[in-house]
C-alpha cells in the first residue's frame, strides 16, 4: 500500500514484480472492492523482461552478503559480461527485489547486472550497517564488491575479462575506488555524479546537511585526518587507472559538486588521458542525477555505446 485516505478506508495498492513494472489499484476496505487505476508502463512487453534473482554468499572476513542478480533472458547464464552496480547512500540505503529499468536495459543488451547490499547498507540490522562505519570507504566496503565479482566468477556466471562497474553518488565513488584500488578487476567504469575527493565532500556539504556533519564524521571518517582522506579518495590514486572511464555530472549538483568530476578529468589529462565526448557528460541544467528526458536519452545512448565498445 503506497497511499491511503485519512480514515484509512481508501488505499492505493501497488502490485508488481521483477518482470512487471506494476499496476495501481484502489482498494476500499469497507466495501472490500478493488478497482483498477493505471499501469505506468503498459506499453512494455513483459515477455522480454529478465528475472532478478536473490544471491547470498560470504565475504572474505565472514560477513554474509546478499544482493540481486539479473541475467539476460534467453542466455545460458554462464560466462556473461557483468555490470557491478553499487547503490548510492551508502548508509541505510539498500537495493531491493523488483522491477528495475536500468538492469532491464542492461539485460536487453546482453549484460548481467549484480546489485549487492555491501556492509553499511540498510535492511539487515544495526550491526551490519555499522560494519561500514569509520574509514571503511575504499576498504572493507569496497572489498565486498570485489568479493561479489569473485563469487560470480567462481560460480561460472561472470566472465572475469568482461566486468564493468557503474554507479551513482556513493556508487560513483565505488566505481572510482574499483578502478583505482582494484584496477585488475574491471574492464571499464562509469562514474555518475560520484564522489572522487572525500575531503571535498565535507568541504561542500549542503546547508541542510550541516546538522549531520558529526554523524557523517563517525560514518565516513574524520575530515581532519588528512592521511585517511587521501587514502580513501580515488582522486589521489588516478595513476592506478588502466580501464576506460566515463564521467557523468550535473553542474548544479548540490550534494556532489561538479568539482569532483572536473578535478578527476584534469588529473587524467595531466597523465595524458583525454576523455571523448562519449566519455565526458557535463550538463549545466542538471543536479544530482539527470531528470530531463533529452539528457536521459543522451546518457543511456552513450552508456550503451560505451559498454558495447568495452564489454563485447
Amino acid at each position: 500500500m503506497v497511499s491511503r485516505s485519512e480514515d484509512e478506508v481508501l488505499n492505493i495498492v501497488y502490485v508488481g514484480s521483477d518482470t512487471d513494472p506494476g499496476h495501481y489499484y484502489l482498494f476500499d476496505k469497507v466495501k472490500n472492492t478493488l478497482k483498477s487505476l493505471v499501469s505506468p508502463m503498459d506499453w512494455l512487453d513483459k515477455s522480454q523482461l529478465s528475472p532478478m534473482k536473490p544471491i547470498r554468499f560470504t565475504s572474505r572476513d565472514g560477513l554474509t552478503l546478499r544482493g540481486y542478480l539479473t541475467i539476460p533472458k534467453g542466455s545460458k547464464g554462464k560466462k556473461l559480461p557483468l555490470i557491478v552496480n553499487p547503490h548510492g547512500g551508502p548508509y541505510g540505503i539498500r537495493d531491493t527485489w523488483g522491477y528495475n529499468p536500468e538492469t532491464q536495459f542492461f539485460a536487453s543488451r546482453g549484460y548481467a547486472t549484480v546489485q549487492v547490499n555491501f556492509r553499511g547498507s540498510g535492511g539487515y540490522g544495526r550491526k551490519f550497517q555499522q560494519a561500514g562505519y569509520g574509514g571503511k570507504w575504499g576498504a572493507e566496503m569496497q572489498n565486498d564488491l570485489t568479493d561479489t565479482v569473485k563469487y560470480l566468477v567462481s560460480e561460472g556466471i561472470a566472465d572475469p575479462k568482461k566486468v564493468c562497474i557503474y554507479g551513482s553518488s556513493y556508487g560513483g565513488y565505488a566505481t572510482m575506488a574499483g578502478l583505482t584500488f582494484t584496477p585488475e578487476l574491471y574492464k571499464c567504469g562509469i562514474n555518475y555524479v560520484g564522489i572522487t575527493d572525500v575531503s571535498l565532500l565535507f568541504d561542500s556539504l549542503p546547508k541542510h546537511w550541516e546538522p549531520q556533519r558529526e554523524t557523517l564524521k563517525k560514518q565516513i571518517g574524520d575530515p581532519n585526518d588528512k592521511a585517511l582522506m587521501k587514502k580513501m579518495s580515488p582522486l589521489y590514486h588516478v595513476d592506478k587507472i588502466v580501464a576506460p572511464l566515463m564521467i557523468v555530472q550535473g553542474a548544479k549538483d548540490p550534494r556532489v559538486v561538479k568539482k569532483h568530476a572536473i578535478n578527476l578529468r584534469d588529473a587524467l589529462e595531466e597523465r595524458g588521458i583525454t576523455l571523448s565526448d562519449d566519455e565526458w557528460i557535463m550538463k549545466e541544467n542538471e543536479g544530482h542525477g539527470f531528470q530531463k528526458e533529452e539528457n536521459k536519452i543522451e546518457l543511456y545512448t552513450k552508456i550503451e555505446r560505451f559498454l558495447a565498445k568495452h564489454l563485447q
Side-chain angles (χ1 to χ4, degrees):
M1 293 185 182
V2 297
S3 179
R4 57 173 58 93
S5 60
E6 207 166 308
D7 60 6
E8 299 188 4
V9 172
L10 297 177
N11 300 266
I12 302 296
V13 180
Y14 168 81
V15 180
S17 73
D18 54 342
T19 55
D20 184 350
H23 192 95
Y24 290 91
Y25 298 87
L26 179 66
F27 173 58
D28 188 315
K29 193 161 62 174
V30 173
K31 296 178 181 178
N32 196 32
T33 58
L34 197 66
K35 179 184 177 182
S36 173
L37 293 177
V38 64
S39 291
M41 302 178 74
D42 59 357
W43 47 267
L44 197 60
D45 184 354
K46 299 173 190 175
S47 68
Q48 295 184 15
L49 301 182
S50 301
M52 176 187 283
K53 298 179 179 179
I55 59 171
R56 182 173 68 178
F57 60 97
T58 304
S59 71
R60 67 186 69 182
D61 57 352
L63 203 62
T64 298
L65 298 176
R66 300 170 176 86
Y68 304 95
L69 177 67
T70 302
I71 291 178
K73 185 173 183 176
S75 77
K76 295 181 179 179
K78 297 295 182 182
K79 294 278 284 186
L80 292 167
L82 176 71
I83 297 172
V84 180
N85 182 210
H87 64 69
Y91 301 111
I93 309 298
R94 60 162 292 175
D95 282 309
T96 56
W97 181 87
Y99 176 76
N100 184 301
E102 277 195 336
T103 60
Q104 293 297 337
F105 172 72
F106 295 141
S108 72
R109 270 63 178 174
Y111 309 112
T113 303
V114 65
Q115 297 160 292
V116 64
N117 288 316
F118 45 82
R119 70 192 69 199
S121 301
Y124 301 98
R126 180 186 294 179
K127 186 176 180 181
F128 186 85
Q129 180 170 321
Q130 292 183 342
Y133 287 7
K136 303 297 173 62
W137 286 31
E140 286 88 343
M141 291 171 73
Q142 197 67 30
N143 290 345
D144 290 347
L145 299 180
T146 301
D147 292 349
T148 302
V149 175
K150 292 182 177 180
Y151 165 73
L152 294 176
V153 169
S154 70
E155 292 291 305
I157 296 168
D159 183 340
K161 295 180 180 179
K162 294 182 178 180
V163 181
C164 185
I165 183 166
Y166 158 62
S168 60
S169 198
Y170 174 83
Y173 165 85
T175 293
M176 296 313 307
L179 296 186
T180 52
F181 302 142
T182 53
E184 73 287 349
L185 205 62
Y186 298 107
K187 190 76 180 297
C188 60
I190 302 172
N191 166 16
Y192 186 9
V193 297
I195 299 150
T196 63
D197 183 346
V198 185
S199 290
L200 178 58
L201 178 68
F202 280 98
D203 291 343
S204 58
L205 281 182
K207 287 184 179 180
H208 64 281
W209 278 19
E210 277 300 330
Q212 302 178 51
R213 182 178 287 271
E214 290 304 311
T215 299
L216 290 172
K217 284 169 65 175
K218 291 178 181 178
Q219 290 176 330
I220 302 171
D222 188 346
N224 293 318
D225 186 342
K226 301 304 180 184
L228 176 63
M229 293 294 103
K230 191 171 183 179
K231 178 183 178 183
M232 66 168 57
S233 296
L235 179 65
Y236 299 101
H237 306 278
V238 292
D239 58 305
K240 309 278 198 322
I241 297 176
V242 294
L245 170 64
M246 181 178 180
I247 301 174
V248 185
Q249 181 70 39
K252 294 181 179 179
D253 192 334
R255 302 183 203 174
V256 180
V257 295
K258 65 180 181 180
K259 194 174 180 182
H260 285 276
I262 292 171
N263 287 350
L264 176 60
R265 181 195 61 183
D266 292 348
L268 290 170
E269 287 183 347
E270 287 178 8
R271 295 183 56 234
I273 300 172
T274 301
L275 301 179
S276 68
D277 289 341
D278 274 3
E279 296 169 333
W280 171 260
I281 305 177
M282 174 73 75
K283 292 298 180 183
E284 296 298 325
N285 57 353
E286 294 285 9
H288 195 62
F290 290 3
Q291 300 299 320
K292 299 184 183 300
E293 183 177 19
E294 64 272 20
N295 292 336
K296 287 185 177 182
I297 291 171
E298 179 186 345
L299 171 63
Y300 288 103
T301 299
K302 290 184 174 180
I303 285 178
E304 179 179 17
R305 202 151 53 214
F306 182 82
L307 293 173
K309 182 178 180 181
H310 300 297
L311 276 194
Q312 292 183 358

